[in-house]
Amino acid sequence: MEVVKYMDGPLACFSRVKLASGEQVMVSIASRSVKVFRMALGGLLPVGTLWECRDWVRMGLMFRCGHQDRSKILEGATALVMLSPSAAAVRSELERLDAEHRGWKKE
């Protein structure tokens, strides 16, 4: 597993990781959501959304960082992707974490 591209700037915030399976996955941080895509054609073309979240507080909890710190969310999501052997495993782990942190409430 290796990070092929990592950009964390004011105009672009994403990472692209080549997994052990040879598949490439991109984590993209936009102003309203985080999306994780499966990539094709050597990582040039997104061909399917593996996971998407628009709840910044939940993402902060999932990746154990401040929900307003998109750099830390990118770092956490990229680290999770790098630990996964395949795109299917990325989806499963993100869905598991998402479900675990969905519905949290401070009493």
Side-chain angles (χ1 to χ4, degrees):
M1 292 138 311
E2 68 175 302
V3 175
V4 177
K5 181 104 176 165
Y6 194 95
M7 288 190 79
D8 182 13
L11 299 177
C13 189
F14 71 93
S15 66
R16 205 169 74 233
V17 176
K18 185 173 184 178
L19 304 174
S21 64
E23 298 169 285
Q24 286 196 33
V25 171
M26 181 173 74
V27 177
S28 175
I29 310 254
S31 62
R32 297 184 182 255
S33 69
V34 172
K35 285 187 181 184
V36 179
F37 298 97
R38 187 170 54 86
M39 304 297 286
L41 296 175
L44 298 175
L45 182 68
V47 293
T49 302
L50 298 172
W51 180 79
E52 179 178 11
C53 186
R54 295 174 186 261
D55 184 336
W56 291 96
V57 173
R58 189 165 69 230
M59 285 183 283
L61 291 168
M62 287 173 61
F63 302 119
R64 297 189 172 137
C65 62
H67 69 276
Q68 295 177 338
D69 190 345
R70 73 181 200 159
S71 295
K72 293 293 186 187
I73 290 174
L74 177 63
E75 187 179 301
T78 301
L80 182 139
V81 167
M82 288 188 66
L83 293 173
S84 302
S86 66
V90 169
R91 175 182 292 186
S92 294
E93 185 61 14
L94 284 168
E95 287 175 350
R96 184 191 70 75
L97 279 173
D98 195 5
E100 187 177 296
H101 291 92
R102 184 174 288 145
W104 66 275
K105 296 285 182 210
K106 283 190 176 179
E107 299 296 330

